Amino acid sequence: MERDKFFLALDQDLSCEYKSGKTYTSSYHHHDGYEIYLFLKGKANYYIEQNCYNMKRGCIFNIRPNELHRVECFDHSIYERVSITIRTPILKKLSTGQTDLAKCFYSRPFGKSNLAYLNEHKINEFLFMVHKVENYINSKEYGHDILTMSYLNQILLFINCQFLKNTNTSHINAMPPIVNKTMQYIDEHLTEPIRMADVAKNIHHNATYISRCFKKVTGVPLQQYIIYKRIILAKKYLTEGYSLNDTCRLSGFNDYSNFTRTFKNQIGCSPKKYQEQPF
């Protein structure tokens, strides 16, 4: 898989798009910013970390930085969705001491409770605000920047209200158990050497069968997925100010040269340069 399919750097502070087209499938990837995704039409699954959701019209997701996710369409019907991506500084700038607009992204466990449902009235309310942002973000008329941020503020307030009152809604996880258990094992042993023989023993399946099922569901080989998770863990330590050597060790890379080479290949810059970036 190409590097930019794993880490999709946001090239704009704000992107707001309504898309409609034929079948679309992506491999697991992550951003350094936030994403809001509304599903409108089609037949598709949405994967976030260890969870898989069978989507229906009105499914809305919030995805925070470094959460691995992917979409899988499973027929050729028209696929419609809205996607909004926001860089962290924008979210911080719009928040106040009384209202943290990132609250809904962090008031839940990592990789869980990403989904809420909108009825038709709420879908139309949300789409009205989305279209306003779309129009003003590309406009040159006087005040377009202020109007863009005004409607983005309304969208973020809307999303927070939907998710923060959605705590009692349960969702069926459609992730195949063999893949779910494999991901859980990887998370629990990420900083240790992970051998396929140990995975097979824990999951109680043949190693070849596990690898085949994992690749089919996630779109990436199991060993590559382990590297992805270790890189994301390394990014966390780097942003927290850990030294490069400590980051290498704590994220499961025992060889420093391999760590720096792998990090640059996956993220597009060296660990040192990544750590020097403002967050």
Side-chain angles (χ1 to χ4, degrees), residues 113 115 162-171:
S113 302
L115 171 62
Q162 298 308 307
F163 277 93
L164 295 177
K165 72 179 183 182
N166 196 51
T167 53
N168 295 322
T169 303
S170 60
H171 312 292

Side-chain angles (χ1 to χ4, degrees), residues 2 37 91 98 102 108 112-113 143 183 198 227 237 241 247 270 278:
E2 296 176 3
Y37 172 102
L91 209 57
Q98 291 75 40
R108 55 174 179 77
K112 297 180 180 180
S113 302
M183 288 180 165
D198 295 330
I227 292 173
Y237 286 124
T247 296
S270 69

Side-chain angles (χ1 to χ4, degrees), residues 95-107:
S95 296
T96 69
Q98 291 75 40
T99 306
D100 179 7
L101 293 173
K103 186 175 182 178
C104 69
F105 296 94
Y106 290 100
S107 63

Side-chain angles (χ1 to χ4, degrees), residues 14 36 84 86 90-96 99-102 126 129-130 132-133 145-161:
L14 170 65
I36 300 164
I84 302 171
I86 310 162
I90 294 296
L91 209 57
K92 289 181 178 179
K93 183 178 179 180
L94 292 177
S95 296
T96 69
T99 306
D100 179 7
L101 293 173
F126 182 76
M129 294 182 287
V130 167
K132 287 292 186 181
V133 171
D145 53 339
I146 293 176
L147 288 167
T148 298
M149 290 300 108
S150 174
Y151 280 106
L152 177 60
N153 247 327
Q154 293 179 53
I155 287 174
L156 289 167
L157 285 169
F158 176 91
I159 292 298
N160 273 275
C161 289

Side-chain angles (χ1 to χ4, degrees), residues 6-267:
F6 162 60
F7 172 58
L8 296 181
L10 303 181
D11 56 2
Q12 302 176 65
D13 287 340
L14 170 65
S15 173
C16 183
E17 298 179 312
Y18 167 87
K19 296 181 180 179
S20 179
K22 294 184 178 179
T23 183
Y24 170 80
T25 295
S26 66
S27 294
Y28 270 105
H29 62 278
H30 76 289
H31 316 282
D32 274 346
Y34 301 83
E35 182 173 357
I36 300 164
Y37 172 102
L38 173 66
F39 180 74
L40 295 170
K41 186 177 181 181
K43 293 184 178 180
N45 287 334
Y46 205 98
Y47 296 83
I48 304 176
E49 294 289 334
Q50 298 177 26
N51 295 281
C52 173
Y53 304 97
N54 298 133
M55 291 194 288
K56 63 181 182 181
R57 180 176 172 83
C59 283
I60 192 163
F61 299 88
N62 82 52
I63 301 144
R64 74 192 196 211
N66 297 323
E67 285 183 325
L68 287 172
H69 55 283
R70 73 184 290 247
V71 172
E72 178 189 35
C73 292
F74 41 84
D75 74 0
H76 294 285
S77 59
I78 295 298
Y79 168 54
E80 292 184 12
R81 74 281 194 195
V82 170
S83 176
I84 302 171
T85 56
I86 310 162
R87 281 179 172 163
T88 301
I90 294 296
L91 209 57
K92 289 181 178 179
K93 183 178 179 180
L94 292 177
S95 296
T96 69
Q98 291 75 40
T99 306
D100 179 7
L101 293 173
K103 186 175 182 178
C104 69
F105 296 94
Y106 290 100
S107 63
R108 55 174 179 77
F110 184 85
K112 297 180 180 180
S113 302
N114 301 76
L115 171 62
Y117 294 104
L118 303 184
N119 59 30
E120 284 300 318
H121 174 75
K122 291 294 183 182
I123 290 173
N124 290 330
E125 184 180 346
F126 182 76
L127 290 179
F128 172 81
M129 294 182 287
V130 167
H131 291 318
K132 287 292 186 181
V133 171
E134 275 190 304
N135 289 336
Y136 286 121
I137 202 172
N138 297 313
S139 171
K140 294 187 182 299
E141 70 176 75
Y142 177 78
H144 70 92
D145 53 339
I146 293 176
L147 288 167
T148 298
M149 290 300 108
S150 174
Y151 280 106
L152 177 60
N153 247 327
Q154 293 179 53
I155 287 174
L156 289 167
L157 285 169
F158 176 91
I159 292 298
N160 273 275
C161 289
Q162 298 308 307
F163 277 93
L164 295 177
K165 72 179 183 182
N166 196 51
T167 53
N168 295 322
T169 303
S170 60
H171 312 292
I172 297 174
N173 183 7
M175 182 72 81
I178 189 172
V179 178
N180 188 290
K181 291 178 181 178
T182 301
M183 288 180 165
Q184 183 176 344
Y185 181 88
I186 290 169
D187 282 347
E188 292 172 353
H189 299 84
L190 191 57
T191 60
E192 310 165 15
I194 298 177
R195 299 175 299 179
M196 278 308 302
D198 295 330
V199 177
K201 182 178 179 180
N202 183 270
I203 306 301
H204 306 296
H205 278 285
N206 175 273
T208 302
Y209 179 69
I210 292 172
S211 296
R212 186 167 63 247
C213 290
F214 194 91
K215 172 70 180 298
K216 182 179 180 180
V217 170
T218 66
V220 295
L222 195 150
Q223 291 298 329
Q224 190 68 36
Y225 178 82
I226 294 171
I227 292 173
Y228 291 171
K229 296 293 285 187
R230 285 175 173 163
I231 290 293
I232 288 173
L233 183 58
K235 288 170 62 182
K236 173 181 178 291
Y237 286 124
L238 290 171
T239 57
E240 291 176 355
Y242 282 75
S243 70
L244 301 184
N245 282 317
D246 284 346
T247 296
C248 171
R249 175 177 54 83
L250 292 170
S251 56
F253 291 94
N254 294 319
D255 180 82
Y256 183 77
S257 61
N258 177 54
F259 163 61
T260 56
R261 183 174 58 253
T262 303
F263 190 97
K264 185 173 183 178
N265 181 55
Q266 298 294 340
I267 303 302

